[in-house]
Amino acid sequence: MRKTMRILTLTEEVRTNILEHLLKRSPNAYGEYEDRVNAIIARVRKEGDAAVFDYTKQFDKADITADTVRVTEDEIREAYGKVDPKLLNVIRKALVNIRDYHAKQRQFSWFDSEESGIILGQKVTPLTNVGVYVPGGTAVYPSSVLMNVLPAKVAGVPNIVMATPPGADGSICASTLVAAKEAGVDAIYKIGGAQAVAALAFGTESIPKMDKIVGPGNIYVALAKKAVFGYVSIDSIAGPSEILVLADETANPRFVAADLLSQAEHDALASAILITTSRALAEQVSAEVDRFTETLSRREIIVKSLDNYGYLLVADTMEEAIATANEIASEHLEIVTKQPFDILPKIRNAGAIFLGEYSSEPLGDYFAGPNHVLPTNGTAKFFSPLGVDDFIKKSSIVSYSKEALAPVWKDIVQFAECEQLTAHANSIRVRFEDK
């Protein structure tokens, strides 16, 4: 039987080829969809509700009107009756963990004053209107609701609106509605896809305009967020999910295989990579992957993912393995070695880092508290997980008395005149015309 995952010796050529191959999954590489997305956005801007409802009928097979687009309190109460009480309890436990973790990220305004009459500071203000996109239809993502909404609530955003595509009968998944209510969403709209992003970005008769749009989605949602950036803020352009496991000979091959498959089941474009200094471990993981794959429900997706973007890489040294992990800059990085905390300081690029064999990636997806909205496709080199900072803005504060400005006004004039901005210079000079 052909092995599901290939085992490769890690060389410079292999590393370069893998990096180039992984980048092909980026939404930036799907230009052929952009014209369709731009056409949807243009029509929503022009026609408002009519375009949104038409696209909802076309893509989601649901008849939505201005009277039914917003989820009612009756629908939410009905959803609570459909959700298993045990699941509701888990949602509430996860909510506490996520809220408490993000509470530690809060920033506050500050001011520094000097006796000379100078006051400098920074005013921190939450955004006013935030739109959260949650994938829907046949999918169920209550965890994404919590991860996107709770940092905004902690930041103090007063108006949080959620958009999620309905089923053909016009309903929203009960667990999604319950998670939204528990997290504190102010309004929920039954719209999805690029048309939902456009509606949140520009507003329609029924959908209010937002200041920022966050949340994952398919390629149309990703490209729509990219297209409306600048009219509104966005969190990031999310690509397919990915996991990288950094392991030595002490790792449990069954655990490692299970963790790789936890991401491969997301999507045929998902990436699952092991980098290890032990060829024996790589071979054992390969065998375990084959065994698991035979029994898992999303086998077809897993096989495609591993065929396309799954690798078991054997490095000569742990230093070489770490360097490759930093180059790949994976969304999820597990360190499963004898001393994982010794390796942690050497990791520069990763969205979320999981340390030790009992810190598997799904722990972060659902429950531990850190956000699961993470940078993908190598963007962990310069992006961070979604957090409270994404839902605030900062204003600089400057206050000088005349006595504080007097010793430096000529310096400012000289700077302005150097740049030939005479009106700038005059704005300072006019205050000292008697000098």
Side-chain angles (χ1 to χ4, degrees), residues 215-295:
N218 62 18
I219 188 65
Y220 291 96
V221 171
L223 290 175
K225 287 170 67 178
K226 180 180 176 183
V228 301
F229 176 64
Y231 295 99
V232 294
S233 179
I234 63 171
D235 51 347
S236 63
I237 309 294
S241 188
E242 53 201 27
I243 184 171
L244 191 152
V245 179
L246 197 60
D248 61 16
E249 72 284 353
T250 67
N252 183 317
R254 191 166 172 81
F255 292 179
V256 172
D259 293 356
L260 293 172
L261 294 173
S262 74
Q263 294 309 291
E265 76 169 343
H266 268 297
D267 190 310
L269 295 175
S271 168
I273 299 173
L274 165 68
I275 307 179
T276 180
T277 50
S278 169
R279 179 166 289 274
L281 177 71
E283 292 171 350
Q284 291 167 341
V285 168
S286 177
E288 293 289 353
V289 164
D290 290 341
R291 278 192 280 271
F292 278 130
T293 301
E294 288 300 314
T295 63

Side-chain angles (χ1 to χ4, degrees), residues 224-426:
K225 287 170 67 178
K226 180 180 176 183
V228 301
F229 176 64
Y231 295 99
V232 294
S233 179
I234 63 171
D235 51 347
S236 63
I237 309 294
S241 188
E242 53 201 27
I243 184 171
L244 191 152
V245 179
L246 197 60
D248 61 16
E249 72 284 353
T250 67
N252 183 317
R254 191 166 172 81
F255 292 179
V256 172
D259 293 356
L260 293 172
L261 294 173
S262 74
Q263 294 309 291
E265 76 169 343
H266 268 297
D267 190 310
L269 295 175
S271 168
I273 299 173
L274 165 68
I275 307 179
T276 180
T277 50
S278 169
R279 179 166 289 274
L281 177 71
E283 292 171 350
Q284 291 167 341
V285 168
S286 177
E288 293 289 353
V289 164
D290 290 341
R291 278 192 280 271
F292 278 130
T293 301
E294 288 300 314
T295 63
L296 293 170
S297 62
R298 295 170 69 87
R299 181 180 184 279
E300 187 176 340
I301 292 173
I302 288 170
V303 170
K304 287 181 180 178
S305 167
L306 297 180
D307 272 350
N308 292 327
Y309 302 104
Y311 300 96
L312 303 173
L313 304 177
V314 181
D316 286 339
T317 66
M318 185 53 69
E319 288 68 29
E320 183 183 23
I322 292 168
T324 302
N326 280 326
E327 278 299 306
I328 293 173
S330 185
E331 176 188 20
H332 307 100
L333 172 66
E334 291 188 5
I335 304 177
V336 192
T337 60
K338 188 175 182 180
Q339 299 291 344
F341 282 90
D342 290 347
I343 291 175
L344 179 61
K346 301 175 184 178
I347 300 299
R348 297 185 57 83
N349 305 319
I353 303 170
F354 301 82
L355 299 164
E357 64 179 2
Y358 287 95
S359 304
S360 64
E361 186 278 335
L363 175 65
D365 268 355
Y366 296 113
F367 200 77
N371 211 287
H372 76 197
V373 180
L374 302 165
T376 58
N377 282 108
T379 60
K381 291 180 179 178
F382 45 82
F383 280 143
S384 303
L386 188 73
V388 172
D389 282 358
D390 290 287
F391 300 101
I392 63 171
K393 56 192 179 70
K394 303 166 187 175
S395 302
S396 302
I397 305 297
V398 179
S399 175
Y400 268 55
S401 66
K402 184 175 183 179
E403 292 72 23
L405 185 60
V408 299
W409 73 270
K410 292 181 181 179
D411 296 335
I412 302 167
V413 167
Q414 184 173 8
F415 224 142
E417 289 179 341
C418 167
E419 295 184 351
Q420 298 183 358
L421 296 175
T422 56
H424 279 64
N426 186 61

